[in-house]
Amino acid sequence: MAICTERSIDLVVIGPEAPLIDGLADSLRAGGIAVFGPGAKAAQLEGSKGFTKDMCAAMKIPTAAYARFDSAGSALAAVGRFGLPVVIKADGLAAGKGVIIAQTKDEANAAIRMMFDGHFGKAGAAIVIEEFLNGEEVSFFAICDGTHAIPFGAAQDHKRVGDGDTGPNTGGMGAYSPTKLFTKSIQSVVFRDIIRPTLEYMSRCGVPFTGVLFAGLMLTAEGPKLIEYNTRFGDPECQVLMMRFEGDLAALLYAAATGALASQPPVRLRDDTALTVVLAARGYPDQPQRGGLISIGDVGDARIFHAGTGFDATGALIADGGRVLSVTACATNVADAQGKAYAAVAAIDFPEGFCRSDIGSREMARKH
């Protein structure tokens, strides 16, 4: 607050989820500063899987069948009624890794015990068990000012660590936007059945939602269903959306922060495809190796977003996190965007790093 006052800051945009859930937006608003991001109670949409599922039940928002548990015993006794595969989720924040899709009963039981044994810290003090939804996952974004919401585009993320969607879930190994999966008619359904009821519910609770609603959706045979919410722009979808955005982002976010979205024009996104490939440190998502040297060569017109990087004592660029770089390119179609992004990846020397080699391939295989 002191820094904002000293520097006459007019708008604060809060990026990470933890400060939102800790109430940073509430503190800043109490000091008269406009904030793009929800207060602590509204940020429960991301901070508590159970809160969001209960909201879905109250508002009849389409989502997977679920149950909440606060003890391993009760969860182990009930998991069998969900069938297989089954989804086990830590209720709280787990850096995008607190979701396990169990293929067998033994895997489900092991996941439950692991969460209650503290593998995810406080995030696993309570869990949600859900039915497994069949379909394809898409991320949709809406900018909200507490009353109004406007679409900000869609992307498809790649959560699994390995090619062909294999291995454990991560915070995201790559993404592209747009996707043929997310049509205008689907967007209309999502806005009507998911986004607007969410805003209505939060207003009823006395905590209007201001910021970005990042809806993780499963496109099922019965229509789009909400998997979960993030309450901030998240990697790697943010990179591809911002590469396509045309307009004044600061003006848009300020309008949301000050309740003035109704006067804003629709968001404009380039027709081009943007695709990003995440370079991660070996061992991610469990125990990423820090300290690996990175040298970035000629990447053409691709853009490199630094995520988990730092400098060693000599000033050399090194890995300092799990997901290290997001290598992003734009082109008129997904195949060309993929080619440009991977050409840029090849120009980066990072021996202790790895990436998926198939980001965007599923979209290229679509026939419609």
Side-chain angles (χ1 to χ4, degrees), residues 20-240:
L20 291 169
I21 291 163
D22 286 344
L24 178 58
D26 298 310
S27 299
L28 291 168
R29 288 192 180 104
I33 296 171
V35 182
F36 182 80
K41 291 183 178 178
Q44 288 181 92
L45 286 171
E46 178 168 3
S48 171
K49 304 292 191 300
F51 175 88
T52 298
K53 298 296 285 190
D54 287 351
M55 176 199 69
C56 289
M59 300 301 290
K60 296 182 171 55
I61 292 172
T63 190
Y66 77 102
R68 301 176 66 176
F69 301 93
D70 57 11
S71 72
S74 60
L76 291 167
V79 68
R81 72 172 187 254
F82 285 87
L84 294 169
V86 62
V87 183
I88 315 295
K89 294 182 176 181
D91 181 73
L93 294 179
K97 307 180 193 74
V99 178
I100 295 173
I101 300 173
Q103 301 295 329
T104 68
K105 184 177 180 180
D106 286 345
E107 287 181 10
N109 290 343
I112 291 167
R113 292 190 181 98
M114 177 183 70
M115 290 185 184
F116 281 110
D117 284 345
H119 184 79
F120 296 114
K122 293 181 180 179
I127 69 168
V128 172
I129 300 179
E130 293 184 358
E131 69 167 326
F132 178 79
L133 295 177
N134 284 299
E136 288 212 55
E137 190 172 345
V138 173
S139 303
F140 173 69
F141 296 76
I143 306 295
C144 311
D145 70 359
T147 303
H148 298 93
I150 58 176
F152 197 83
Q156 187 165 51
D157 186 13
H158 297 63
K159 288 291 187 190
R160 300 278 190 162
V161 74
D163 284 3
D165 294 321
T166 57
N169 275 315
T170 73
M173 293 299 295
Y176 61 90
S177 176
T179 171
K180 297 172 186 175
L181 288 171
F182 201 79
T183 63
K184 289 184 178 179
S185 61
I186 290 177
Q187 177 174 292
S188 296
V189 171
V190 170
F191 233 74
R192 181 193 69 207
D193 295 346
I194 298 176
I195 301 298
R196 289 198 179 106
T198 298
L199 288 184
E200 181 182 345
Y201 182 84
M202 301 310 289
S203 292
R204 284 186 195 174
C205 292
V207 286
F209 185 92
T210 299
V212 60
L213 277 176
F214 168 169
L217 306 169
M218 189 66 78
L219 304 184
T220 74
E222 295 81 33
K225 295 186 179 184
L226 181 67
I227 301 171
E228 62 186 25
Y229 273 127
N230 289 342
T231 59
R232 36 78 201 189
F233 287 111
D235 300 329
E237 294 95 339
C238 183
Q239 283 87 341
V240 292

